[in-house]
Amino acid sequence: MTPGRPVPPPLGRPLPDLDSPLGDPRDDEGRLVAALGARSAEGGLEPVTLARRAPAPDDVEILIEFCGLCHSDVHSTRGEWGSANYPLVPGHEIVGRVLRVGPAVTDFAVGDRVGVGCMVDSCRECEACEDGLEQYCSRGMVGTYGATDVRHGNERTQGGYARTVVVDRNYVLRVPESLDPAAAAPLLCAGITTYSPLRHAGVEAGDDVGVVGLGGLGHMAVKLAKAMGATVTVFTTSESKRQAAAELGADRVVNSRDEEQMRDASDSVDVIIDTVAAPHDLNALLRTLRRDGVIYQLGLPSGEMPPVDPGLLIRKRAAYAGSLIGGIAETQEMLDFCAEHSLTSDIELVGAEQVNEAFDRMVAGDVKYRFVLDNSTLQPAGKEADA
């Protein structure tokens, strides 16, 4: 893989040929399509062929142009979050063009640029779903890959490292044409994951936001908080991140291992977005909160966290909370906000043959800040489905 970050493809890139064959059609007018998936926890990703269903009345079939590579894809395909059903095709940061729509679909048309994020269905009946918070569905949202799709014969969902995907229109998002499509793909996960808690906290001009960790999530938290008018402090354990944080727009960078810098930051922030996925001590961060401040935990630590001193919460009426992606309406709001403020992720574009190396580099933290797959580089589909 060539070091560095290639320039994302220009906005003027021609539309894909929506009439070109993508794989052998099946009798029901579904498709056999090329994909990249894991056949075991140890084997890495390799070419597989998916059987995609034909669009139902409410479905949208999408020709996938780009799909972001998320760290959760690594955990899932390598079996690090429990046993998985293989073959497994990951990918939940999907951007592409509409190929076909079902007869009941009136809000999307062939050629529209659209996206699909971390979920493709939910119960649609519980209080969370009725409130537009499908990610908190009491019966469990249906993930874009590795989940059971109860509305379609309990088939296993397969994700966006593929040439096409078929999704119910209620879970399809409109991607503004002004956004670079490759750099917009990570917004469907990293973007909404950081936007949602910032919006829930009501961040606005004059507020002070802290960001812990400057990776795929953290760099979007900095960009979004700045666009909302906040002053942003980045907390990092690495002095090497100081310049990068400043380039992203951070107003202040604090080395969280430096006790003097942390003392100077006491009582200085209103909201902290914590993106770190490793066990870490929250008590020093709690001291940087003002009264009624809140820490939102976004990273899922791999082990037990050190105990929190409840006195630090009580004395400031502070809170420690979690947040999970966002609902469909809020995700669309985020995409529109990003278009308004010309925000996308900083990416490195990779081809299908580079994805395994990209996974290893993600684990090593060697990316600024997100990898994105160019789906046009996938090999042709086979004559028989693997999944």
Side-chain angles (χ1 to χ4, degrees), residues 37-50:
R39 297 179 187 269
S40 69
E42 299 81 21
L45 299 184
E46 58 185 274
V48 298
T49 297
L50 293 181

Side-chain angles (χ1 to χ4, degrees), residues 56-375:
D58 287 314
D59 280 342
V60 176
E61 183 180 27
I62 302 165
L63 172 64
I64 303 174
E65 297 173 288
F66 302 101
C67 186
L69 277 59
C70 180
H71 211 122
S72 60
D73 300 343
V74 179
H75 293 309
S76 297
T77 56
R78 294 181 177 180
E80 294 170 354
W81 281 349
S83 60
N85 290 317
Y86 297 102
L88 176 64
V89 175
H92 56 210
E93 300 175 352
I94 298 167
V95 171
R97 295 281 186 183
V98 175
L99 270 176
R100 291 188 289 177
V101 297
V105 177
T106 59
D107 46 351
F108 295 102
V110 172
D112 286 351
R113 176 159 280 139
V114 294
V116 178
C118 300
M119 58 182 161
V120 293
D121 205 354
S122 60
C123 82
R124 313 185 196 185
E125 298 174 349
C126 70
E127 182 177 358
C129 287
E130 290 183 347
D131 287 343
L133 299 171
E134 298 93 344
Q135 74 273 32
Y136 301 120
C137 175
S138 62
R139 300 179 193 174
M141 68 176 183
V142 178
T144 305
Y145 66 87
T148 301
D149 187 350
V150 296
R151 294 186 202 276
H152 298 94
N154 291 324
E155 67 179 21
R156 300 294 292 178
T157 58
Q158 300 285 2
Y161 294 15
R163 273 320 261 137
T164 73
V165 68
V166 179
V167 179
D168 186 289
R169 59 156 297 279
N170 292 290
Y171 299 83
V172 176
L173 298 144
R174 192 172 298 280
V175 177
E177 290 286 350
S178 63
L179 295 176
D180 182 290
L187 299 179
L188 278 306
C189 178
I192 186 57
T193 297
T194 48
Y195 182 87
S196 185
L198 290 169
R199 286 286 286 116
H200 186 69
V203 170
E204 59 187 3
D207 288 338
D208 291 277
V209 172
V211 176
V212 184
L214 198 64
L217 291 175
H219 95 288
M220 283 308 309
V222 173
K223 290 186 178 189
L224 290 164
K226 286 296 295 182
M228 291 174 180
T231 298
V232 176
T233 298
V234 169
F235 294 94
T236 178
T237 60
S238 175
E239 279 294 324
S240 64
K241 297 288 183 72
R242 186 173 293 276
Q243 181 177 349
E247 290 173 351
L248 289 167
D251 300 281
R252 178 176 62 162
V253 181
V254 174
N255 187 329
S256 56
R257 288 178 173 165
D258 187 311
E259 293 183 2
E260 183 176 353
Q261 290 186 38
M262 290 298 286
R263 280 196 300 270
D264 290 343
S266 295
D267 302 305
S268 66
V269 293
D270 303 298
V271 177
I272 292 177
I273 302 297
D274 189 339
T275 70
V276 175
H280 55 288
D281 191 349
L282 293 170
N283 293 305
L285 292 172
L286 286 169
R287 293 185 178 94
T288 70
L289 288 176
R290 296 192 177 110
R291 175 174 49 82
D292 292 324
V294 58
I295 296 178
Y296 287 99
Q297 185 68 48
L298 305 187
L300 185 60
S302 55
E304 290 189 10
M305 295 277 282
V308 170
D309 179 358
L312 295 174
L313 300 174
I314 292 169
R315 286 192 291 272
K316 293 184 179 180
R317 198 163 60 187
Y320 177 49
S323 183
L324 175 66
I325 55 172
I328 296 300
E330 187 175 52
T331 305
Q332 187 63 63
E333 178 186 293
M334 177 273 305
L335 288 168
D336 295 339
F337 179 89
C338 287
E340 179 184 353
H341 295 275
S342 300
L343 299 180
T344 53
S345 293
D346 289 8
I347 68 164
E348 182 173 335
L349 196 64
V350 298
E353 74 284 357
Q354 299 169 306
V355 170
N356 284 313
E357 184 181 349
F359 271 26
D360 290 338
R361 286 181 56 193
M362 267 197 286
V363 172
D366 179 25
V367 57
K368 289 179 73 173
Y369 289 95
R370 299 287 286 206
F371 287 114
V372 174
L373 171 65
D374 180 347
N375 289 55

